[in-house]
Amino acid sequence: MEFSWPWEYDFPPFFTLQPNLDTQKKQLEAWRKLVIDYCRHNKIFVLDVQESMPLFQNKTIDRQLSSEGIKRVLEILQENQQIEWCDKSKKQCFVYWKTPQEWGNLIYRYIIDKGMTNTVCTFYELTEGDDVKNEEFAGLDKSILLKALETLEASNKAEVIMFGGSEGVKFF
Amino acid sequence: MGNIFGTKKKTRVTEQDKAVLQLKQQRDKLKQYQKKILTVIDKDKELARKLLKEDKRERAKLLLKKKRYQEQLVEKTDKQLDTVEQLVHDLEFAQVEMQVLNSLKIGNESLKEVHKLFSIEDIEKIMDETREGIEKQKEIDDILAGALTTEDEDAVDMEFEEILRQSLPDVPQISDVDSSEIELPSVPTEEPKPKKEKIGRDPVSLAA
């Protein structure tokens, strides 16, 4: 299914930071929503921040958001805890269209439904296995998976196992 | 990740869990390997078809041979996968069995604990005492019942009947009911016969 762009995407001024602060606030909010919707639709867990990507560049109207604009949008997202920088270079960020807590709950629900408590699972099995193909967390980025599992660990629902190159998780 | 090597708090991951995890990882690797080979097979098939169209028979044949070999590999990994998964299931089931056994053990222990609380002698003693108590009560009942003589009991019965008679309900008032509605029995047409008893009794009383 094709992503349906919002009307703003075809509106040239949308790609230029508006001088009027009120207008700019609304503009940035629309951008924030667009980034989240776009990433959710395309199942993007880790965003490579590039000016040339279709998210920030509309070739049909020949407009693109400036790096300053991208920076502002990402700042807003970070304030909302919807992204987290992967490292200090700020070239990649995790996009949380679901929070790690929400991912954790979703995975735990799946485990309960399948009667897999008290069972050891590999990370591969949880995100790439044949059984999870139709689950929302299929293809989940490993770093986000780990964060999600940590939230489950905090509530004693799971325990991450790591030893000698083996990684997995046991659910309770 | 506070739980690496279970240093922070008591880990609930057993050695068997770790073994299961390693087996499952092996399973994942086998699956990934199969995926890889299957894509290669698809590609080869496509290529062989293309070569045949271009009439490069020898090369196409070679490719099909390679494809056949790859397919055998997939079959072999299938068997390995089966073995690995079988082992995983066996291990998991063994753990379930162990848990069941543990529960049974705990149940058995507590049953023993409870049993320890009362010995057979205690129970016999309690039962004896109960029996004695019942007998004693019976004796008391007998004594109490025996305190009244038969004459007393007759007097009691008479008084009881007296009270019963007094407390019989009054005859209902006729005026309460519309007299026309009451169907009265018809007057007997015959002369009433004197009761035999009376006849029999009079001469006796006279004689006395």
Side-chain angles (χ1 to χ4, degrees):
Chain A
M1 210 175 70
E2 195 68 22
F3 178 65
S4 58
W5 297 94
W7 65 270
E8 293 101 327
Y9 190 69
D10 294 316
F11 183 56
F14 186 51
F15 290 83
T16 311
L17 269 181
Q18 295 303 304
N20 181 312
L21 280 183
D22 272 351
T23 321
Q24 196 189 79
K25 211 175 157 191
K26 276 178 200 155
Q27 182 194 12
L28 287 173
E29 173 57 26
W31 268 110
R32 184 194 66 78
K33 204 173 161 301
L34 172 59
V35 172
I36 290 297
D37 288 346
Y38 180 83
C39 289
R40 182 186 291 123
H41 183 268
N42 292 300
K43 283 208 148 201
I44 296 174
F45 299 105
V46 179
L47 187 69
D48 280 303
V49 183
Q50 288 165 351
E51 288 167 43
S52 59
M53 67 187 300
L55 175 60
F56 298 121
Q57 185 183 42
N58 186 345
K59 279 187 178 149
T60 21
I61 58 165
D62 194 24
R63 285 288 186 282
Q64 71 173 61
L65 190 64
S66 64
S67 51
E68 172 64 19
I70 294 175
K71 208 181 127 201
R72 292 293 304 278
V73 172
L74 292 172
E75 272 170 14
I76 299 272
L77 279 158
Q78 201 182 6
E79 278 167 30
N80 275 305
Q81 295 179 333
Q82 283 174 310
I83 64 149
E84 187 183 336
W85 291 109
C86 298
D87 55 33
K88 277 180 184 164
S89 67
K90 295 202 176 180
K91 284 194 179 116
Q92 278 190 327
C93 59
F94 299 119
V95 188
Y96 298 142
W97 30 278
K98 273 195 196 318
T99 64
Q101 180 82 58
E102 284 169 334
W103 283 121
N105 291 342
L106 215 60
I107 291 171
Y108 195 64
R109 188 71 252 158
Y110 168 82
I111 294 296
I112 296 276
D113 287 347
K114 291 255 170 171
M116 277 163 71
T117 45
N118 242 323
T119 306
V120 183
C121 295
T122 59
F123 293 162
Y124 179 84
E125 170 181 3
L126 278 177
T127 56
E128 309 290 338
D130 292 335
D131 293 340
V132 297
K133 257 183 192 154
N134 296 320
E135 300 296 327
E136 219 179 333
F137 49 84
L140 186 64
D141 180 79
K142 193 182 150 195
S143 309
I144 300 181
L145 174 68
L146 262 175
K147 284 173 200 281
L149 293 177
E150 276 168 37
T151 67
L152 290 180
E153 268 189 329
S155 47
N156 265 329
K157 287 176 184 154
E159 200 173 314
V160 174
I161 311 166
M162 285 193 181
F163 67 98
S166 294
E167 297 169 318
V169 57
K170 187 179 182 184
F171 294 98
F172 297 96
Chain B
M1 275 154 272
N3 291 311
I4 309 175
F5 309 125
T7 42
K8 265 195 178 169
K9 59 178 176 185
K10 219 181 138 217
T11 173
R12 287 182 283 178
V13 176
T14 62
E15 285 305 312
Q16 285 84 355
D17 287 339
K18 287 184 184 173
V20 169
L21 181 64
Q22 274 173 325
L23 280 169
K24 282 193 173 178
Q25 268 185 322
Q26 193 52 57
R27 176 203 62 190
D28 291 349
K29 275 179 199 155
L30 281 171
K31 279 193 177 167
Q32 278 163 293
Y33 179 70
Q34 273 191 333
K35 225 184 246 175
K36 187 182 92 183
I37 290 199
L38 284 172
T39 41
V40 170
I41 288 175
D42 280 349
K43 227 195 274 165
D44 284 353
K45 217 156 92 187
E46 220 31 63
L47 203 60
R49 209 170 277 151
K50 213 173 117 198
L51 284 170
L52 270 178
K53 262 186 204 159
E54 293 166 13
D55 213 29
K56 290 176 183 165
R57 289 178 150 259
E58 278 309 303
R59 282 197 63 193
K61 217 171 184 179
L62 211 67
L63 261 176
L64 287 176
K65 254 185 208 163
K66 187 184 156 204
K67 191 184 126 254
R68 180 81 205 110
Y69 173 70
Q70 305 266 34
E71 276 166 354
Q72 279 170 350
L73 279 184
V74 172
E75 271 169 38
K76 274 181 201 160
T77 40
D78 260 340
K79 273 183 202 134
Q80 286 179 355
L81 259 177
D82 207 42
T83 318
V84 169
E85 289 198 326
Q86 185 72 45
L87 198 52
V88 167
H89 285 139
D90 286 350
L91 252 173
E92 280 179 345
F93 188 65
Q95 277 193 291
V96 171
E97 280 181 321
M98 211 168 73
Q99 279 163 2
V100 171
L101 205 67
N102 266 337
S103 311
L104 286 178
K105 217 160 133 191
I106 292 167
N108 196 20
E109 288 289 316
S110 57
L111 194 63
K112 266 190 206 159
E113 284 298 310
V114 175
H115 279 165
K116 243 183 236 168
L117 290 180
F118 39 74
S119 60
I120 296 293
E121 290 100 72
D122 282 344
I123 299 166
E124 278 177 350
K125 211 170 133 198
I126 291 168
M127 290 311 282
D128 277 349
E129 277 172 18
T130 315
R131 206 174 299 128
E132 273 169 35
I134 292 170
E135 274 166 18
K136 201 160 184 181
Q137 183 61 45
K138 218 170 159 189
E139 256 173 65
I140 293 169
D141 285 350
D142 284 348
I143 291 166
L144 281 178
L148 294 175
T149 60
T150 14
E151 282 162 44
D152 287 333
E153 276 183 19
D154 283 348
V156 169
D157 280 346
M158 267 169 64
E159 202 181 341
F160 176 70
E161 266 170 41
E162 181 67 31
I163 292 169
L164 216 62
R165 212 173 8 249
Q166 277 169 11
S167 57
L168 276 179
D170 292 335
V171 179
Q173 294 290 314
I174 298 276
S175 62
D176 285 348
V177 194
D178 191 354
S179 52
S180 64
E181 277 181 12
I182 299 173
E183 211 176 286
L184 291 170
S186 52
V187 179
T189 48
E190 289 172 53
E191 198 73 22
K193 282 176 188 167
K195 275 187 182 169
K196 276 178 188 170
E197 265 180 50
K198 229 174 183 177
I199 305 164
R201 203 189 274 170
D202 276 347
V204 178
S205 58
L206 278 174

